[in-house]
Amino acid sequence: MSTSFVLRLATAILIAAACCLPARAQAADRERLVIGISQFPSTLHPSFDSMQAKEYINAMARRKITIFDHDWNVVCLLCTGLPDLDKGSARFEKTPDGGDGMALDYQLDDRAVWGDGTPITTKDVLFTWEVGRHPEAGTDSSELYRRILSIDVHDDRRFTLHMDRRSCDYKGLAEFNLLPAHLESAVFEPAADYRKRTLYDRDPSNPGLWYGPYRVTEVNPGASIVLEPNPLWWGKKPYFKQIVVRTIENTAALVANLLAGDIDMIEGEPGLSIDQALSFERRHGDDYQVIYKPGLIYEHLDVALSNPILSDVRVRRALLHGIDRQAISERLFDGKQPVANGQTNPLDSVYFDGAPKYAYDPDKAAALLDEAGWKPGAEGIRRNAEGTPLQFDLMTTAGNKSRELVQQVLQSQWKALGVDATIRNEPARVFFGETVSKRQFTGLAMFAWISSPQSIPRTSLHSTMIPTEENAWAGQNYTGYASEKMDKILDDLELVCDADANRKLWEDMQTLYAQDLPALPLYFRASSYILPKWLKGVRPTGHQYTSTNWIEEWTAAE
């Protein structure tokens, strides 16, 4: 089967999925909003299993201390002001061992309370720090918590963080995910079992877990999550009396449910891919708002570097030369999702255009495989001198039509090179909750990283961030990439704040990434939002912090 045929077939399937469906029923109740997404979160705990679906839902019922806003600036959500060297609320100091550290002052909003009426205080700050830095807890942002040497508590709302280093991006504290000490402290010990005992999974409708405009009132595992207004929310009153987030993992079925009136909208972050949205718009665009938002979303293939086949960089480079990513972008995505040459998006101010690039070049790919000892063999599959076939698994989230079609294209183009990629997919909650987070994949894993502006990829590239059973699977370096040179660059990126020197480090990081290829870049995604015409106030951000962080701004037109 030729690659061009696979691409034409993939395009036809996408159009058919969006076109051959009945007209949508009119929404009758605009005080209830039903949102469709394609993933169900593996947990609602804010510090376990980084996942789009979880962040999208939690943002309605929680508030981060700081966040990047729609203009990509750091702002307070739960604090009253950002630390500032010029104002004295951030200060350079010496660490106990004589190193260069920082002191950062924060104050929580005096109005902030958990959903059961318990005030949000520095007790929660201290407990969150205890959980985050515990070596057996395995939180996603454990590195942040370990960098905090101590916390001075001044009163119930004011505290000072003493950091083990000076950093250029010191103002933000978005990944310090507050936990309710009055509830979670009772189930934290033993820390190694905390994931299994947390109330975010055992009693997720407990109002004391939440403190946003909404709170979770019902969880139907794998199917839906219901949120209702938090009566103790201190900010702007939210419009909708109930929000239901329904998970429909098959994206073609997601569209069918929208047109049937069973859901009101398909959210952009964990919803339809751009190709499906384009097909939908051609058929039904007059009846909906269809919004495309380019963003810092990096679709790629994580490589299991422990696999002897894939540990050879010549093989990784050959695989990248062997796929026509430009054709995928143009034919499946109408050019709206540009080819990625590395993990840093051209939209980001730190992007470097001079890093190595891998154009589609089957001849060069074949030459690299020959050089690496993989010679054409029986049935068209290359083998090495020991007779081992050039074969590996290619995994992604089951039911995601776009990714499954891209898989077919990759499989076809690699087969033409003598590479046998076996497609094996899993539901998103298993894929992210177990296979990826615990590094159980043995070949390539397709998914997306979503970042904030100028985000240093330490958690996915630094050797100390490789998840293992010994560190309770903390970190997101799922490939197992370990490079002393990369570690040094990542460390320096945080500490070297001179503009020219910092930019040079960004250039070095992107160059080394392109040379080593710990992951295979595919494309940068744009999020597609399909909204009813009556829904107002939804403002996509283009970065990792979802539109639901401002859910109280959403309303229905009169």
Side-chain angles (χ1 to χ4, degrees):
M1 186 183 296
S2 71
T3 295
S4 61
F5 176 78
V6 172
L7 282 166
R8 291 197 302 272
L9 178 62
T11 304
I13 292 173
L14 288 167
I15 293 174
C19 291
C20 305
L21 294 166
R24 178 190 181 277
Q26 292 292 320
D29 181 5
R30 293 185 181 174
E31 293 184 343
R32 181 176 185 261
L33 180 66
V34 183
I35 303 172
I37 62 176
S38 59
Q39 300 174 359
F40 193 86
S42 57
T43 177
L44 289 180
H45 193 290
S47 293
F48 294 139
D49 296 351
S50 178
M51 192 175 177
Q52 279 181 285
K54 181 190 73 172
E55 296 299 326
Y56 183 79
I57 294 166
N58 278 7
M60 304 184 208
R62 296 175 52 84
R63 280 294 178 263
K64 291 182 175 293
I65 296 177
T66 70
I67 199 170
F68 278 93
D69 66 9
H70 300 89
D71 298 319
W72 295 18
N73 296 315
V74 179
V75 297
C76 275
L77 287 188
L78 195 61
C79 55
T80 60
L82 297 173
D84 193 314
L85 285 168
D86 293 334
K87 296 179 180 179
S89 51
R91 300 171 299 282
F92 294 137
E93 64 180 11
K94 289 295 183 181
T95 63
D97 62 1
D100 293 328
M102 289 191 81
L104 307 174
D105 297 338
Y106 288 94
Q107 180 173 335
L108 301 173
D109 192 316
D110 290 338
R111 302 169 296 170
V113 295
W114 297 100
D116 60 3
T118 304
I120 296 177
T121 72
T122 46
K123 291 180 181 177
D124 302 307
V125 173
L126 291 174
F127 174 67
T128 301
W129 179 49
E130 177 188 359
V131 173
R133 68 192 179 114
H134 198 292
E136 295 182 354
T139 57
D140 289 339
S141 300
S142 57
E143 176 75 5
L144 164 66
Y145 298 110
R146 287 196 295 266
R147 291 184 181 187
I148 301 171
L149 297 176
S150 62
I151 300 179
D152 290 342
V153 171
H154 307 298
D155 55 36
D156 281 350
R157 305 289 183 171
R158 296 184 302 119
F159 61 97
T160 298
L161 304 180
H162 294 280
M163 311 300 295
D164 70 352
R165 69 197 67 192
R166 300 173 184 178
S167 64
C168 308
D169 58 349
Y170 66 88
K171 292 185 177 182
L173 201 60
E175 300 314 308
F176 195 104
N177 292 305
L178 282 183
L179 301 172
H182 67 293
L183 295 177
E184 290 287 278
S185 61
V187 299
F188 176 54
E189 298 289 353
D193 296 331
Y194 178 47
R195 278 179 181 253
K196 303 174 184 177
R197 296 161 56 85
T198 175
L199 299 184
Y200 283 98
D201 292 335
R202 296 176 64 191
D203 186 20
S205 61
N206 188 320
L209 299 174
W210 311 107
Y211 58 97
Y214 290 88
R215 60 184 180 89
V216 174
T217 58
E218 182 181 337
V219 175
N220 300 297
S224 65
I225 293 176
V226 179
L227 301 100
E228 296 178 354
N230 175 7
L232 299 181
W233 166 244
W234 59 92
K236 180 179 178 180
K237 182 179 179 181
Y239 177 86
F240 296 101
K241 292 184 177 179
Q242 187 181 75
I243 294 179
V244 180
V245 182
R246 286 190 56 198
T247 297
I248 303 170
E249 293 184 339
N250 183 291
T251 48
L254 190 62
V255 171
N257 275 264
L258 177 68
L259 295 173
D262 295 328
I263 59 177
D264 295 309
M265 61 176 280
I266 299 176
E267 183 50 48
E269 282 91 356
L272 290 187
S273 58
I274 199 79
D275 41 298
Q276 292 171 303
L278 288 165
S279 299
F280 180 92
E281 185 179 26
R282 285 191 284 268
R283 176 77 172 183
H284 305 288
D286 292 341
D287 299 323
Y288 294 86
Q289 304 177 66
V290 182
I291 302 171
Y292 301 101
K293 181 68 175 181
L296 305 181
I297 308 174
Y298 170 49
E299 192 78 15
H300 67 286
L301 297 162
D302 255 17
V303 180
L305 295 176
S306 58
N307 183 324
I309 295 173
L310 299 171
S311 65
D312 189 331
V313 71
R314 293 171 297 184
V315 172
R316 302 198 295 275
R317 291 171 180 171
L319 292 175
L320 205 50
H321 276 304
I323 52 178
D324 192 346
R325 293 172 294 161
Q326 189 63 41
I328 292 172
S329 174
E330 292 174 356
R331 299 185 190 181
L332 292 186
F333 308 135
D334 201 25
K336 291 185 181 293
Q337 300 198 135
V339 170
N341 293 307
Q343 63 88 42
T344 307
N345 195 307
L347 294 173
D348 204 322
S349 62
V350 295
Y351 172 72
F352 175 52
D353 191 43
K357 298 178 176 64
Y358 295 84
Y360 179 52
D361 190 338
D363 291 338
K364 190 168 186 177
L368 283 166
L369 292 176
D370 288 340
E371 180 186 330
W374 297 97
K375 306 298 184 182
E379 300 179 352
I381 302 302
R382 291 175 178 266
R383 296 176 181 271
N384 62 13
E386 289 74 36
T388 304
L390 181 45
Q391 187 277 332
F392 51 79
D393 286 343
L394 173 59
M395 301 186 69
T396 194
T397 49
N400 186 307
K401 185 62 65 178
S402 173
R403 284 177 173 158
E404 290 175 343
L405 291 171
V406 171
Q407 277 184 309
Q408 293 175 32
V409 175
L410 301 185
Q411 183 186 52
S412 174
Q413 293 183 336
W414 283 334
K415 186 175 182 180
L417 287 173
V419 178
D420 181 14
T422 302
I423 293 175
R424 186 168 68 85
N425 297 336
E426 295 176 334
R429 61 186 180 276
V430 178
F431 181 70
F432 291 114
E434 292 289 329
T435 302
V436 173
S437 64
K438 295 183 178 179
R439 301 178 62 225
Q440 295 175 354
F441 65 98
T442 59
L444 303 178
M446 184 193 305
F447 62 97
W449 282 123
I450 308 176
S451 64
S452 56
Q454 300 181 32
S455 177
I456 300 170
R458 182 183 184 86
T459 187
S460 59
L461 294 179
H462 203 283
S463 64
T464 61
M465 294 287 100
I466 299 173
T468 64
E469 188 172 3
E470 290 70 27
N471 69 10
W473 307 108
Q476 295 171 315
N477 184 347
Y478 303 130
T479 67
Y481 177 58
S483 163
E484 291 184 5
K485 186 175 181 180
M486 180 64 82
D487 288 352
K488 180 66 164 57
I489 293 172
L490 294 171
D491 291 341
D492 288 348
L493 270 171
E494 300 184 47
L495 306 174
V496 178
C497 302
D498 174 79
D500 291 340
N502 188 268
R503 172 160 289 281
K504 179 61 167 60
L505 287 167
W506 276 105
E507 294 175 359
D508 291 345
M509 187 276 291
Q510 293 169 70
T511 298
L512 183 59
Y513 186 94
Q515 291 171 343
D516 287 357
L517 291 179
L520 304 185
L522 293 176
Y523 47 86
F524 290 111
R525 278 174 31 192
S527 295
S528 52
Y529 300 74
I530 301 179
L531 313 177
K533 287 186 174 293
W534 50 262
L535 182 61
K536 306 299 178 184
V538 180
R539 296 177 61 198
T541 66
H543 55 65
Q544 74 182 87
Y545 302 114
T546 73
S547 55
T548 49
N549 281 286
W550 296 270
I551 188 73
E552 64 270 31
E553 302 296 333
W554 295 18
T555 62
E558 297 297 332

